Amino acid sequence: MTLPVTPSFRLDGRRAVVTGAGRGIGLASAAALAEAGADVTLVARSLDEIQAAAAEIVAAGGRAVAARLDVTDLSAVAWFFAERPAFDILVNNAGTNRPMSMIDVAEADFDAVLDLNLKSSFFVAQAVVRRMIEDGVPGSLIHMGSQMGHVGGINRSLYCASKWGLEGMNKAFALDLAQHRIRSNTIAPTFIETPLTRPYFEDGAFRSGVLEKIKLGRLGQVTDLMGAVLFLASDASAMMTGTSLIVDGGWTAD
């Protein structure tokens, strides 16, 4: 009898790029990929944070560089990826939120959230994919979605619109790119405690409402997403495309 061998979670020899990599989920994603052996490029608008993060990854024995890029500048995005060899892995993580009732949303709010969360994600993926195809590189696109791309939420009309859009975009990407051996999936986290979200939890009523929905009874941490990122980046998920890994502590099971 010959036992099957578990596909490797190692990423040695692969090149990964993470947007919004200076803190929170992006930083954790970059650290996870580097720990698995990937050569990681950390991208963000603020160079200081990603330089510090890359230095920490290198000090821990990984391979990482920092590169400043504003992903809302689409001409800069096209140039950035055209000037580099193809990446094997994209973590499409840059995003924002402006919680408010739909009654209060102004056009500027709509544009700020949808342009970054959806439009920029689309064109970053397009630029990465074009170079993958040009260089004949199969790969994995990982888009950071949200449980709010699967449900609704009070004061979350903009965020839900962007993340539901991301889910649909992801499924269409998977169909377009399968012939090129490029996979596309999302990760859909619940509320994760990060520098961006931490101020929200200072509101006791808001925190209690969130914890009531998370059946495991605690806020998510960035470490709760690192395994999901690694899984989707690696050969362990080789037959997965066009789907979403929901990491929500049971929120959407109710």
Side-chain angles (χ1 to χ4, degrees), residues 66-90:
R68 186 185 181 281
L69 176 65
D70 180 354
V71 295
T72 65
D73 183 342
L74 300 186
S75 60
V77 166
W79 177 87
F80 183 91
F81 291 103
E83 291 297 307
R84 288 166 169 77
F87 288 96
D88 303 275
I89 300 155
L90 164 66

Side-chain angles (χ1 to χ4, degrees), residues 150-229:
H150 296 266
V151 296
I154 296 171
N155 295 332
R156 294 296 189 276
S157 59
L158 293 177
Y159 198 67
C160 286
S162 69
K163 296 303 184 179
W164 277 83
L166 194 74
E167 291 294 340
M169 182 187 83
N170 171 63
K171 289 183 179 297
F173 280 1
L175 299 178
D176 285 349
L177 301 176
Q179 63 181 311
H180 302 290
R181 297 181 299 147
I182 298 170
R183 299 182 297 112
S184 180
N185 294 286
T186 71
I187 297 173
T190 188
F191 284 90
I192 303 295
E193 201 168 15
T194 69
L196 177 66
T197 64
R198 197 164 291 123
Y200 302 151
F201 300 123
E202 294 173 2
D203 180 334
F206 176 78
R207 183 185 181 94
S208 296
V210 166
L211 291 176
E212 184 179 348
K213 292 267 194 177
I214 300 175
K215 303 312 177 188
L216 291 180
R218 66 173 177 84
L219 298 176
Q221 302 298 317
V222 294
T223 49
D224 292 316
L225 303 179
M226 294 170 78
V229 169

Side-chain angles (χ1 to χ4, degrees), residues 11 32 42 47 76 114:
L11 300 172
L42 291 81
L47 191 58
L114 274 293

Side-chain angles (χ1 to χ4, degrees), residues 26-50:
L27 175 58
S29 299
L33 296 170
E35 187 177 348
D39 188 339
V40 183
T41 298
L42 291 81
V43 167
R45 285 183 296 183
S46 175
L47 191 58
D48 289 347
E49 283 188 333
I50 53 175

